Amino acid sequence: MRVTMLQDQIDDKTEKLEDINKRIKELESEVPPPASVCDTLTSCDTCTANKGCVYCVAEEKCVAGNEDGPTQTSCSFFNWDKCTASGCSRYKDCNSCISDPMCGFCSQNNQ
């Protein structure tokens, strides 16, 4: 009789545990995925400084990615590791511009 009581208690606890696990799965499906750190980066320089991010040039946004490109979306052209010539307009003086190997400075129109 004692064994039967114990088995009934085990069965009851197992059923409750299964219900809890089912509810956890339901709640997990309602929780949105966490925002990528890349989503919080706003400039090409800060984006490409993070090895887990790429900067989508045309879209002007930072997304999760690697040297092969974005991992969860797509973009027409991306920068990884450093910004390329598409970001040269951010330089306002000759010295900062020519320090970037992808840019050149035109003194005639000061850009």
Side-chain angles (χ1 to χ4, degrees):
M1 176 159 206
R2 183 164 164 87
V3 172
T4 305
M5 277 181 44
L6 288 174
Q7 187 60 49
D8 287 345
Q9 288 177 351
I10 290 172
D11 291 344
D12 184 52
K13 300 292 183 196
T14 301
E15 187 177 320
K16 287 180 181 178
L17 183 59
E18 288 171 356
D19 289 342
I20 290 170
N21 284 330
K22 182 180 177 184
R23 182 65 182 137
I24 288 172
K25 289 193 184 298
E26 290 171 358
L27 290 172
E28 285 176 339
S29 69
E30 295 174 15
V31 176
S36 164
V37 69
C38 304
D39 296 337
T40 65
L41 305 173
T42 57
S43 74
C44 183
D45 289 328
T46 58
C47 180
T48 58
N50 185 319
K51 297 300 179 205
C53 302
V54 297
Y55 188 76
C56 293
V57 177
E59 295 82 354
E60 295 183 336
K61 67 179 185 175
C62 187
V63 298
N66 56 38
E67 65 270 13
D68 297 322
T71 54
Q72 300 172 351
T73 187
S74 63
C75 56
S76 53
F77 180 75
F78 68 92
N79 290 317
W80 179 81
D81 191 37
K82 65 179 177 180
C83 297
T84 60
S86 60
C88 295
S89 62
R90 70 184 183 277
Y91 299 122
K92 302 300 178 206
D93 65 87
C94 180
N95 287 336
S96 59
C97 179
I98 62 172
S99 69
D100 184 333
M102 300 301 291
C103 296
F105 194 80
C106 178
S107 61
Q108 183 177 2
N109 40 351
N110 210 27
Q111 54 181 358

